[in-house]
Amino acid sequence: MTVTLWHCLDARSFRPLWALEEMELDYDLVVLPFPPRAFHKPYFDVNPLGTVPFLKDGKTSMTESAAMCQYLADRYAPNLSVASNHPDYGAYLNWLHQSDATLTFPQALMLRYGVFEPDERKQPQVAGDYRAWYLARLRWLDQHIDGREWLVADRFTVADIAVGYALYLGEFTGAASDYAPQTRAYLDRLKDRDGFKRAQSRQAEANTSGAGSALPSPG
């Protein structure tokens, strides 16, 4: 079976796209306009939620980006996962899922109320409050990554992809200007990986219809 990923440019779906490129798997990529539930109604026939990402692998269907990374690593690239008997297994799972629930969620609100809403519906205080909230939640990462190359197990894993996407999103929300030096250096290492660069090229090549926006979507 070939994995198929439905994607909007630089949205959360970039996580599984990056993971697929790191794994060098064959896959099909469908780039949609944002939000697809508004601008590509037939997508509801694929994903009843109308959200991205959406991944199909045989009979498996998934909607959560961090879970997709975990699934793909466990199934196809154990070298990008951490075994349950490894001392860092708990930390691996925590970083993997903190990446979305804690580090991406506030930035989605920053983008919505600071960028995507019409001017009359923008909420600068909401965007500013969630910017402060996000930066405060980086304190654990700032401490943890200091002196480390990668998050866990002394090697690159999909936890780095998941957290790395949240940090990358900060370049669009403006929060990256306040990253600690070690966190900025960690993001630079991630962006320098061939898998990251290939994922960026693949989404650009697949966006032949011009469907993508200039800013990443929070969806």
Side-chain angles (χ1 to χ4, degrees):
M1 291 290 184
T2 299
V3 173
T4 302
L5 175 66
W6 285 261
H7 171 58
C8 289
L9 293 187
D10 286 324
R12 284 181 171 100
S13 44
F14 191 79
R15 285 187 176 114
L17 174 58
W18 182 1
L20 286 162
E21 286 296 334
E22 291 281 354
M23 297 172 192
E24 300 186 6
L25 292 180
D26 290 330
Y27 65 95
D28 292 328
L29 182 66
V30 181
V31 176
L32 298 168
F34 176 80
R37 55 190 174 273
F39 296 115
H40 191 72
K41 297 291 187 180
Y43 181 53
F44 280 105
D45 295 333
V46 176
N47 174 10
L49 296 179
T51 56
V52 291
F54 190 71
L55 182 143
K56 283 192 69 69
D57 181 22
K59 295 181 179 180
T60 297
S61 297
M62 304 183 73
T63 62
E64 303 303 314
S65 63
M68 290 174 190
C69 291
Q70 184 176 353
Y71 167 84
L72 290 168
D74 286 349
R75 185 158 190 179
Y76 296 113
N79 60 306
L80 294 180
S81 183
V82 173
S84 61
N85 61 353
H86 191 284
D88 281 356
Y89 179 65
Y92 164 74
L93 291 180
N94 198 65
W95 286 116
L96 188 61
H97 297 289
Q98 186 188 91
S99 68
D100 211 36
T102 301
L103 299 182
T104 302
F105 162 73
Q107 297 193 85
L109 294 174
M110 291 162 64
L111 284 170
R112 176 173 179 177
Y113 291 107
V115 177
F116 287 112
E117 289 285 357
D119 288 344
E120 66 273 13
R121 288 180 53 84
K122 283 186 168 68
Q123 299 287 335
Q125 182 174 346
V126 171
D129 286 350
Y130 275 100
R131 184 182 194 278
W133 194 94
Y134 166 64
L135 291 170
R137 294 309 186 274
L138 283 179
R139 290 171 186 161
W140 191 0
L141 176 63
D142 293 341
Q143 294 176 11
H144 180 80
I145 205 64
D146 196 13
R148 288 183 170 90
E149 185 176 16
W150 309 117
L151 287 174
V152 294
D154 295 321
R155 57 185 171 83
F156 178 83
T157 70
V158 290
D160 295 293
I161 290 175
V163 171
Y165 171 74
L167 295 175
Y168 173 58
L169 190 60
E171 295 188 337
F172 297 92
T173 63
S177 61
D178 285 333
Y179 285 170
Q182 66 271 26
T183 301
R184 177 73 253 180
Y186 170 55
L187 175 57
D188 289 343
R189 287 195 297 278
L190 290 166
K191 290 173 63 180
D192 197 45
R193 290 187 65 86
D194 289 342
F196 180 90
K197 295 175 183 177
R198 287 196 302 270
Q200 285 194 312
S201 295
R202 182 66 188 271
Q203 70 174 0
E205 291 166 2
N207 188 36
T208 54
S209 65
S213 64
L215 287 170
S217 75

